[in-house]
């Protein structure tokens, strides 16, 4: 059976076997000291609005969550329309493409690959036909039972074209629809086959679905266009997004978070909410708080800038230093560095200037440029640093490679001492829920002591924030966050083969702080 649809990928579609250069491995041979991005998802029900254009700007606000590919699917009376490709949001779309994406429903995605290679065929939204029409699925997170689910689906489907767990969720939903269920019942059936972390926005010809996993590991918020909140059950122009910053850019008002285990169904009749599964204890990824989400996004009623500044306050109390200046690794370390300065009464200064226009690129610098090190992205201010004892604040160290280059650049600029403070605990365990933290043996804090890390990155002193301090600064119940990358306590059980692939050994004692 075929359904009306339109794809702009026909001429450039790569098969799963066609290689597209992986920007992480090839263009950035020295990978950064950060856990690498999650994904950004966006959905919109808005008759009489240019939904593709609004989705474009929503994705633009979520670009920090993924820079490998972007896509938008829309729905109108004629069916579905989709365009997706490799690159940044501003590189993938232009005015003509957005005009061709007509409709009253839009689903958007900006991707960083954690499951599935960096190929254009794995770009989202995933488009799958059903007896009720085509669906478009955008996913943030990782399923831990993807291998088992794929085997189940292959028994009935032989057209799985990607390597992503996202497409498996889409096929599970389509399978339930084709077995006779309506969209909501089919979604409940499909989601109960999925284990792990998933926030989803799913467009259909009849309405738009939004859902979170039972623990709420990955974020998803609900908003309405404009500033007037509708009465319960009344029609409105609804928005779903990974973060509130995507609501702000299009003039939408935040309503609430989608709850763990909740499904919302948005149609011309309004919005309904169902618990597709009994919610367990909330386990929002704490790295969303520390690093991933934009500092202007609202979580638990306040901006993440405020939380990150409190991390700096706590860090200054736990690990003071006798220095002349406090500075940050821009941009992610800035709020904590300001907090450290406020608490310690030591002046804050900008010691590194970031080139914000250096993105992922396939063009390699010359050998002499590579020898200069970090300065294509971060350039030190010699007149600020010369002759000074510097304390630099960053939010995390994963591998240690970039940190060492930054420290060397500060010394080359004349700093006589360089101390480092990290506003999170040591990352000792890999993530299985949608963040790329590498295998455990590539995590510097899993293999080295505090003194060995300090020696490797060549700082005069090094300290991490305590796990207790990180959670206390949230002003929330400490047990409501997933912090498995610091503790190895995973809230969703990991199948042994999947676990063994990344978890190489047991860290007996955390690195001292």
């Amino acid at each position: 059976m075929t359904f009306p649809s339109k794809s702009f990928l026909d001429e450039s579609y790569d098969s799963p076997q066609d290689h597209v250069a992986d920007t992480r491995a090839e263009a950035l041979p020295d990978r950064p000291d950060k856990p690498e991005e999650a994904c950004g998802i966006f959905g919109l029900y808005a008759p009489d609005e240019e939904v593709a254009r609004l989705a474009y700007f929503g994705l633009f606000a979520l670009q920090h969550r993924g820079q490998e590919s972007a896509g938008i699917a829309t729905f109108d009376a004629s069916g579905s329309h989709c365009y997706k490709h490799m690159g940044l949001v501003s590189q993938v779309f232009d005015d003509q493409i957005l005009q061709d994406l007509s409709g009253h429903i839009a689903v958007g995605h900006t991707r960083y690959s954690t499951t599935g290679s960096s190929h254009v065929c794995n770009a989202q939204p995933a488009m799958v036909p059903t007896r009720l029409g085509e669906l478009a699925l955008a996913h943030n997170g990782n399923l831990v039972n993807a291998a088992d689910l794929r085997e189940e689906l292959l028994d009935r489907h032989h057209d799985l074209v990607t390597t992503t767990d996202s497409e498996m969720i889409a096929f599970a939903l389509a399978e339930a629809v084709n077995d006779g269920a309506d969209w909501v019942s089919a979604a409940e059936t499909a989601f109960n086959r999925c284990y792990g972390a998933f926030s989803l926005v799913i467009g259909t010809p009849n309405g738009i679905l939004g859902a979170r996993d039972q623990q709420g590991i990955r974020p998803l918020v609900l908003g309405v266009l404009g500033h007037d909140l509708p009465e319960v059950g009344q029609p409105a122009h609804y928005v779903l997004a990974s973060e509130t910053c995507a609501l702000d850019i299009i003039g939408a008002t935040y309503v609430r978070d989608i709850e763990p285990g909740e499904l919302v169904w948005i149609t011309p009749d309004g919005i309904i909410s169902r618990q597709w599964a009994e919610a367990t204890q909330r386990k929002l990824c704490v790295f969303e708080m520390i690093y991933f989400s934009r500092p202007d996004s609202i979580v638990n009623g306040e901006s993440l800038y405020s939380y990150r500044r409190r991390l700096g306050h706590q860090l200054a109390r736990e690990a003071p230093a006798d220095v002349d200046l406090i500075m940050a690794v821009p941009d992610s370390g800035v709020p904590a560095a300001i907090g450290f300065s406020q608490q310690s009464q030591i002046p804050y200064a900008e010691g590194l200037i970031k080139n914000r226009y250096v993105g992922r690129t396939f063009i390699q610098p010359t050998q002499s440029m590579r020898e200069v090190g970090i300065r294509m992205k971060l350039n030190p201010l010699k007149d600020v640093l010369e002759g000074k004892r510097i304390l630099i604040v960053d939010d995390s160290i994963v591998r240690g490679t970039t940190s060492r280059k930054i420290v060397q650049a500060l010394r080359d600029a004349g700093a006589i001492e360089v101390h480092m403070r990290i506003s999170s605990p040591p990352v000792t365990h890999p993530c299985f829920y949608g963040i790329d933290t590498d295998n455990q043996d590539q995590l510097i804090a899993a293999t080295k002591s505090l003194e060995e890390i300090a020696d490797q990155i060549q700082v005069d002193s090094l300290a991490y924030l305590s796990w207790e301090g990180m959670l206390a600064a949230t002003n929330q119940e400490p047990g409501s966050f997933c912090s498995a990358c610091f503790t190895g306590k995973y809230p969703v059980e990991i199948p042994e083969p999947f676990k063994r692939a990344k978890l190489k050994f047991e860290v007996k004692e955390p690195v001292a702080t």
Side-chain angles (χ1 to χ4, degrees):
M1 184 180 293
T2 59
F3 300 94
S5 65
K6 177 170 140 188
S7 172
F8 296 87
L9 269 178
D10 293 342
E11 295 182 1
S12 57
Y13 191 89
D14 290 342
S15 72
Q17 290 75 33
D18 289 336
H19 176 68
V20 176
D22 186 333
T23 54
R24 290 170 295 150
E26 296 182 16
L28 296 176
D30 292 325
R31 295 175 66 185
D33 281 350
K34 307 293 182 187
E36 294 182 275
E37 294 88 337
C39 295
I41 62 175
F42 185 88
L44 179 70
Y45 174 83
D48 306 319
E49 296 282 350
E50 294 183 82
V51 292
R53 192 171 297 274
L54 291 173
Y56 170 88
F57 284 106
L59 293 181
F60 191 83
L62 298 172
Q63 184 73 87
H64 59 287
R65 299 185 67 87
Q67 295 89 46
E68 289 191 352
S69 66
I72 294 173
T74 61
F75 292 81
D76 61 16
S78 68
S80 61
H81 315 272
C82 182
Y83 188 88
K84 50 187 177 179
H85 218 288
M86 305 299 290
L88 302 175
V89 174
S90 60
Q91 296 169 327
V92 170
F93 299 101
D94 60 28
D95 270 330
Q96 186 57 57
I97 292 169
L98 294 175
Q99 287 175 24
D100 289 340
L101 293 171
S102 60
H104 60 284
I105 289 172
V107 172
H109 188 269
T110 182
R111 183 171 191 264
Y112 174 81
S113 61
T114 52
T115 296
S117 309
S118 189
H119 296 166
V120 76
C121 65
N122 289 327
Q124 293 187 39
M127 308 294 294
V128 177
T130 80
R131 69 177 180 88
L132 298 178
E134 198 160 28
L135 69 85
L137 179 143
H139 171 214
N140 173 209
N142 248 26
L143 299 187
V144 300
N145 70 324
D148 290 341
L149 181 58
R150 184 176 177 84
E151 288 301 314
E152 292 174 19
L153 291 168
L154 282 171
D155 286 341
R156 294 182 63 179
H157 306 282
H158 304 290
D159 49 354
L160 290 173
V161 298
T162 82
T163 58
T164 70
D165 54 352
S166 307
E167 191 197 30
M168 297 172 209
I169 302 172
F171 268 85
L173 176 55
E175 186 175 89
V177 169
N178 292 336
D179 286 342
D182 60 26
W183 288 112
V184 174
S185 298
E188 291 177 319
T189 298
F191 300 161
N192 275 291
R193 299 174 69 181
C194 301
Y195 301 98
F198 55 92
S199 286
L200 301 167
V201 175
I202 304 167
T204 78
N206 307 108
I208 191 166
L209 287 157
R212 288 177 82 186
D213 64 76
Q214 290 171 273
Q215 286 76 28
I217 296 172
R218 303 259 73 85
L220 187 64
V221 300
L222 175 70
V224 293
L225 279 181
H227 300 288
D228 297 322
L229 300 183
E231 297 293 329
V232 175
Q234 292 300 305
H237 291 179
Y238 285 101
V239 187
L240 293 162
S242 293
E243 298 179 36
T244 63
C245 64
L247 306 180
D248 298 336
I249 197 172
I250 63 169
T253 300
Y254 168 75
V255 176
R256 64 176 179 86
D257 285 10
I258 302 301
E259 294 298 317
E262 183 186 11
L263 176 157
V264 293
W265 174 232
I266 300 164
T267 68
D269 296 326
I271 182 170
I272 63 170
S273 168
R274 298 264 289 270
Q275 283 297 128
W276 66 264
E278 182 179 350
T280 59
Q281 187 176 22
R282 183 188 301 269
K283 287 290 184 180
L284 177 67
C285 169
V286 77
F287 249 116
E288 293 281 356
M289 305 283 290
I290 296 166
Y291 171 64
F292 280 118
S293 294
R294 260 177 41 170
D296 53 330
S297 285
I298 303 297
V299 178
N300 297 321
E302 67 171 355
S303 72
L304 289 176
Y305 178 91
S306 296
Y307 168 65
R308 292 168 189 174
R309 191 173 56 183
R310 286 200 300 276
L311 292 177
H313 294 162
Q314 182 66 21
L315 188 58
R317 289 190 286 267
E318 291 184 8
D322 182 16
V323 295
D324 302 312
L325 288 176
I326 307 298
M327 58 174 286
V329 175
D331 290 311
S332 58
V334 170
I338 291 172
F340 197 109
S341 172
Q342 291 171 337
Q343 181 67 32
S344 65
Q345 300 293 297
I346 299 171
Y348 171 83
E350 282 194 78
L352 289 167
I353 300 300
K354 182 177 181 179
N355 181 354
R356 290 173 176 83
Y357 301 96
V358 176
R360 298 171 184 269
T361 175
F362 292 102
I363 306 302
Q364 293 298 298
T366 65
Q367 179 59 35
S368 60
M369 289 173 66
R370 283 195 291 271
E371 289 172 359
V372 170
I374 200 71
R375 295 183 188 180
M376 196 159 83
K377 289 189 175 182
L378 296 170
N379 200 32
L381 292 170
K382 185 174 182 179
D383 57 335
V384 173
L385 301 169
E386 193 165 21
K388 298 292 196 304
R389 299 170 300 161
I390 305 300
L391 185 143
I392 186 165
V393 178
D394 204 356
D395 55 79
S396 59
I397 300 177
V398 175
R399 303 169 190 91
T401 52
T402 304
S403 299
R404 178 170 179 160
K405 290 180 180 180
I406 290 172
V407 171
Q408 187 58 53
L410 296 176
R411 294 193 188 279
D412 291 345
I416 57 175
E417 291 180 16
V418 180
H419 304 262
M420 184 170 280
R421 298 293 183 266
I422 306 300
S423 60
S424 65
V427 176
T428 55
H429 290 74
C431 178
F432 295 91
Y433 305 134
I435 293 174
D436 186 0
T437 49
D438 271 337
N439 294 338
Q440 191 178 26
D441 55 4
Q442 295 171 311
L443 305 177
I444 192 170
T447 60
K448 296 183 184 299
S449 68
L450 184 70
E451 293 75 17
E452 289 170 332
I453 298 170
D455 183 61
Q456 178 163 319
I457 65 177
Q458 298 182 339
V459 289
D460 293 286
S461 73
L462 171 68
Y464 291 82
L465 183 64
S466 68
W467 179 75
E468 294 83 1
M470 172 192 69
L471 293 175
T474 66
N475 291 336
Q476 302 292 313
E477 167 57 43
S480 61
F481 297 93
C482 174
S483 57
C485 52
F486 307 122
T487 65
K489 296 179 180 178
Y490 296 98
V492 180
E493 187 176 353
I494 314 298
E496 278 303 316
F498 190 23
K499 182 188 293 187
R500 287 196 301 270
K502 295 181 74 172
L503 195 62
K504 303 299 182 179
F505 44 81
E506 203 57 47
V507 178
K508 293 185 170 29
E509 295 183 9
V511 173
T513 58

